[in-house]
Structure formats: structure tokens, C-alpha cells
Amino acid sequence: MPLWSRDDFLAAISGNVRGDVSNHVTGISIDSREINDGDAFFAIQGDNFDGHDFAERAIEAGAAIAICQIGRFEEGSGPFPRLEVVDVLGALEGLGEASRARVKGIVIAVTGSVGKTSTKEALRIAFRTFGEVHASIASFNNHWGVPLSLARMPADVATGIFEVGMNHPGEISPLTKMIRPDIAIITNVEAVHMEAFNNVLGIAAAKAEIFEGLESGGAAILNRDNKYFSYLSEIAEEKSAKIVSFGENKQADIRIEDLILKPDCSVVKARIFETKLTYKINAPGRHMAMNSLAVLAAVHVAGKDLARAALALAEWAPPIGRGSRHEFQLGSETLTLIDESYNANPASMRAAILTLGQSDVTAGGRRIAVLGDMLELGEQSGALHAGLSEAIANAGIDLVFTAGTDMESLYDALPSLLRGGHEVDAAALAKSLPKKIGPGDVVMVKGSNGSRMMDVVAAIESWLRGN
Ligand SMILES: Nc1ncnc2c1ncn2[C@@H]1O[C@H](COP(=O)(O)OP(=O)(O)O)[C@@H](O)[C@H]1O
Ligand SMILES: [Mg+2]
């Protein structure tokens, strides 16, 4: 079965057919560089590029049809097969909605300040033991990522899993109305993306928009340990959602009874209502164990077998840049590099610092944090950076290297014993750092994507390989 038969595709989007549109649609793309045969190419207007400039190229690369704005190509011009619409993004949204409407399986939406992608990937692993899963790729969670992910969902999936993100109020509302989740998860509410908000309560309110699209009889899965739990559950209750809570709190429906944290994995003893389960996850850190509780909450709500899901979670390891570990043999010792360079905000920084603090080091080895700027924090940025100092000192970190203007605030706030060095940016740190680390060390590198700490990771790796 094609993803979209020609007729279903054309029925889902109102527009004018031009050229020879006779093929079925087997995939959806908005990037002309990544076209597969049979794709429908949506010529989206982005910040830097206009998809219309690549529409003909997409067809040459094998796309079955291009969706373009009316008037962008002259009538009768370019015989390439296309569907002309008033609004290309609107057409993608319409297709996303049609996609949702034809699915009979369970649909899950995941939002929260941190842990969306990790939780989404863990859900994918747990739910695929029960049938075909379709989940958003990467962090496709915004105004184009969500409709694109929806439109790509095969009609017969057992479970659809969608990440939903936001940078400002009102963003989640239309996305959740497209997704119409049966289960909505809010991993947590923390001070991230503060630029468009006066305070964290504003963020909680924006996250609560996720319930606006919840199907009737749907469930809200909420973090019982989070400060905004009561606030969020009240809003969910107004929507008649079934509330299921997770966390360490004794009142949580899904809770951790015991947690064994290892450098490269955790063993979780959990209680899911009346069921007790012990399972292993290969994503280290308390925060990942918490995410796994949200996953089991969803499995419970879906009425699926908890033991099978928990067993599957052993396959869940952190993706590159989100806590992935690399070990290097240096003589008889190892150096462990923890790559957290994919992104950072105060909440995930604290989680990564705690995890580093729990890492075993051999005699002489040190727990070293290498930190780049956390971006998009608005006016409080300096204070939020400096505020990490206490967490670092308490976690048992031995040495800290920093890069970037905001991180300088943290560097200055650190006890002098912990100060390893500060550089203006990641490029400078990439040069100076590698020779300062050695056998036995556990080195965790983290910063917002834009801070380019992945360059520091690469520099360490190439230095160690050369040694
Ligand atoms: N529950 C959590 N609490 C704190 N930090 C977390 C949590 N889950 C994941 N993280 C960390 O946050 C960062 C981003 O994780 P990710 O799953 O990509 O989140 P998102 O998709 O919300 O940006 C990573 O460093 C990850 O280790
Ligand atoms: Mg994400």
C-alpha cells in the first residue's frame, strides 16, 4: 500500500492539478536534497530558503508531485506534476490532519521543557513490541515538523508518537489539535526558552496547551515531582482527562521504588499502580529513569503488557550528543567521554552534572565538566549560568572548563579549586583542552547546539586517537 494513494492524496488537499499527476505518493519531503522516488515535495517557505526554487529539482530527483503556491509558476509553464494551493504549509497541515483521521491506533504526544526526544525514542522502543510504530524523527516538533511527521504516518500503524515543542505561547495549541493525541505526556516544566516568557508559570501554561487537542477520554501523563504538577492536572481535569502521574513522589501512580545508577546504565525498580517491575535501561542518569516512568505510564494507559515494554527498554541508549559515551583506552587506563553537546539548558545541565558526579573514576582520574553557553535564556541568562555553581560543587565534580560569554559568569562563580580554564568560545577550547585531560578521567562535554561544543568533542576524539 502506498503511503497515500493518488486519489486520497488529492482529496486531502484542495488545489489545482497541473501536469501529469498519475503516481501514488510513497513519502513526504520538504527538502529537495533528500528526495526518495515517489515523494510528495512540499515547497515550504523557510527562513533562508524558498522551497519553490527547488520544486523542479525535486521532481527531477524522483518526486511524484510538488505542492506549490498558486501563481508561483506560470500557467502551462514547466510540465512538471504539481498541485497548486493557496498556502503550502496549510496544505501540509491538511494532509497531517487527514493522516490522523484515518489512523485507528493509539496516538501519543510528548511535550515538556526537557526530555521530549529521549522520551519519544524510549516510547518508540517500548511500543514497537506491540505493533508498527510511527514516530517523529529527530526533534521535528514545530509548526512544520509536526504536520510533516503526521503526514508521513502510514494508515495502519498501531502507535503514532509525536514530539511537540514550543518557543512561545500559543504554539502548541494548533499542533496538538492536528495530532489529537489519546495520550499527552508533559515530561516536566523548567526554565528553558525563557526569552518569550516572564516566568516559569508562563511556560507551564504554554505546555498545558497540549490538552487542547486531547481526544475525549484521553489521558494526561504528568510528572508528580514537578512544581507545576497541580497546576497542570487542574487544567487537564477541566478537559476531562484521565490523569496518571509519575516520579519519585510517594503519591505518584508510577513511581521509582529503588534506582541503581551505573555509569553506563541504570536499574529501575518501579511500581506501576499495583504492579512491581525491575528493569534496566542503557541510558544513564536519574533523569532518563524518570523518562522511562513516563513511558511505562503510557504503556499502562494503552492497556499493553508492561513487562514486555520494560524488557524492550534495555535497548534504549542515548543518541549521539545526548549523553552518548565513548571510551578510549590509554595504556592500561580508560578515558570516558560523555557527549552532551547536542543541547543544554539549566535543567538538562543539572541532570548531566549529577550523572557525571555519579560516574566511577579510577584512582587519579577526575570528573571533568566541559561546558559551553546555554542559549535562549533571555535576561536571566547570566544568573542561570552562575546558578549552576552550587550543583557542580555538590555533585563532586573535580574540574570545570568553560567556553563562551555566558559561561564566564559560571566560571567566575566557581570555587577556585574547580576552575580548569575558560576560553572565549568552543573553537578556542577545542585547541587548549585536549592536552589537559588524561587517563582515568571522565569528561562530560555539554552546551547548546549553537555553542558548538561538538567541536570540542571532535577535538578530544582526534587528539586521543592520535595519541
Ligand atoms: N527528564 C529530564 N530531566 C532533565 N534533563 C533531561 C531529561 N531528559 C533528558 N534530559 C537531558 O536534556 C537534554 C535534551 O534531551 P532531549 O531528550 O533531546 O530533550 P528535548 O527534546 O526536550 O530537547 C539532554 O542533555 C538530555 O540528557
Ligand atoms: Mg527534542
Side-chain angles (χ1 to χ4, degrees):
M1 254 214 324
L3 177 62
W4 290 96
S5 72
R6 173 196 177 277
D7 292 348
D8 286 352
F9 185 85
L10 294 179
I13 303 173
S14 60
N16 310 319
V17 174
R18 300 271 181 258
D20 170 25
V21 176
S22 51
N23 292 327
H24 296 313
V25 168
T26 52
I28 310 291
S29 176
I30 60 169
D31 186 339
S32 64
R33 294 162 303 178
E34 292 175 10
I35 295 289
N36 292 311
D37 277 348
D39 275 357
F41 173 75
F42 284 75
I44 303 277
Q45 172 81 58
D47 294 337
N48 303 316
F49 294 103
D50 180 354
H52 292 89
D53 297 338
F54 308 98
E56 284 171 86
R57 200 178 301 169
I59 297 294
E60 281 160 23
I65 184 171
I67 293 73
C68 308
Q69 203 179 352
I70 294 171
R72 282 301 300 264
F73 298 97
E74 276 169 36
E75 199 137 341
S77 84
F80 70 92
R82 61 185 184 269
L83 182 61
E84 298 194 338
V85 299
V86 178
D87 168 19
V88 178
L89 183 59
L92 184 60
E93 292 167 356
L95 187 64
E97 281 164 8
S99 178
R100 169 62 180 103
R102 65 185 189 167
V103 159
K104 295 186 183 62
I106 296 163
V107 173
I108 306 175
V110 185
T111 192
S113 299
V114 279
K116 296 179 290 295
T117 302
S118 308
T119 305
K120 179 223 6 157
E121 289 306 321
L123 285 164
R124 184 202 296 274
I125 287 168
F127 275 89
R128 75 182 174 205
T129 58
F130 309 120
E132 198 192 335
V133 168
H134 171 77
S136 327
I137 57 167
S139 284
F140 280 19
N141 64 21
N142 62 3
H143 63 284
W144 56 261
V146 168
L148 176 63
S149 301
L150 277 168
R152 285 174 167 173
M153 174 163 56
D156 56 355
V157 292
T159 316
I161 303 166
F162 299 93
E163 176 169 335
V164 185
M166 63 102 191
N167 291 312
H168 53 77
E171 212 174 334
I172 289 183
S173 173
L175 301 178
T176 183
K177 287 173 186 161
M178 278 178 237
I179 298 172
R180 291 174 30 219
D182 301 299
I183 300 174
I185 300 177
I186 302 183
T187 57
N188 47 44
V189 175
E190 304 285 350
V192 312
H193 297 306
M194 285 300 285
E195 277 174 342
F197 295 94
N198 295 327
N199 50 42
V200 186
L201 181 61
I203 295 183
K207 298 292 180 199
E209 290 171 23
I210 194 93
F211 306 131
E212 290 174 22
L214 196 65
E215 288 284 270
S216 79
I221 295 179
L222 300 175
N223 186 329
R224 191 69 183 72
D225 303 333
N226 192 265
K227 201 169 151 194
Y228 296 92
F229 170 73
S230 308
Y231 173 81
L232 294 174
S233 28
E234 269 170 35
I235 299 177
E237 257 160 21
E238 279 166 22
K239 307 273 185 242
S240 310
K242 172 180 187 220
I243 291 164
V244 176
S245 62
F246 67 93
E248 289 180 279
N249 190 300
K250 290 272 179 291
Q251 284 161 28
D253 301 316
I254 320 288
R255 66 174 188 268
I256 284 196
E257 296 208 312
D258 194 15
L259 178 60
I260 302 166
L261 294 165
K262 294 279 176 194
D264 55 352
C265 68
S266 300
V267 177
V268 188
K269 281 191 182 177
R271 193 180 179 112
I272 298 102
F273 289 89
E274 298 317 315
T275 309
K276 286 187 173 196
L277 266 183
T278 300
Y279 57 96
K280 179 188 170 192
I281 56 176
N282 282 317
R286 176 175 297 270
H287 54 299
M288 291 299 184
M290 290 301 155
N291 296 341
S292 77
L293 296 182
V295 172
L296 291 180
V299 172
H300 171 85
V301 168
K304 303 289 183 194
D305 188 316
L306 284 165
R308 268 173 69 186
L311 267 177
L313 284 178
E315 291 160 40
W316 175 41
I320 299 265
R322 292 191 193 79
S324 48
R325 285 173 176 253
H326 312 267
E327 290 198 342
F328 298 87
Q329 204 61 42
L330 302 177
S332 61
E333 299 249 40
T334 32
L335 183 148
T336 306
L337 179 60
I338 306 173
D339 181 1
E340 284 269 4
S341 63
Y342 177 76
N343 74 11
N345 52 56
S348 69
M349 270 291 188
R350 281 172 209 276
I353 286 163
L354 273 179
T355 307
L356 174 64
Q358 282 148 359
S359 294
D360 298 323
V361 289
T362 47
R366 302 157 300 173
R367 297 180 187 91
I368 302 177
V370 181
L371 309 178
D373 284 348
M374 305 181 284
L375 305 176
E376 294 182 43
L377 291 178
E379 285 171 8
Q380 302 171 43
S381 187
L384 288 168
H385 280 76
L388 293 172
S389 167
E390 203 179 312
I392 289 174
N394 292 340
I397 307 301
D398 299 301
L399 206 53
V400 181
F401 293 88
T402 54
T405 22
D406 288 332
M407 271 297 165
E408 197 165 2
S409 310
L410 169 62
Y411 195 74
D412 293 341
L414 284 173
S416 54
L417 261 179
L418 295 188
R419 291 186 201 158
H422 174 79
E423 300 279 7
V424 286
D425 57 15
L429 194 57
K431 286 203 188 85
S432 63
L433 179 75
K435 47 187 170 296
K436 297 181 184 163
I437 59 179
D441 290 344
V442 180
V443 182
M444 186 274 289
V445 183
K446 188 168 181 69
S448 285
N449 209 282
S451 301
R452 305 259 357 134
M453 294 302 281
M454 62 287 284
D455 296 346
V456 177
V457 171
I460 294 173
E461 284 176 340
S462 74
W463 167 265
L464 292 173
R465 293 223 169 85
N467 264 349

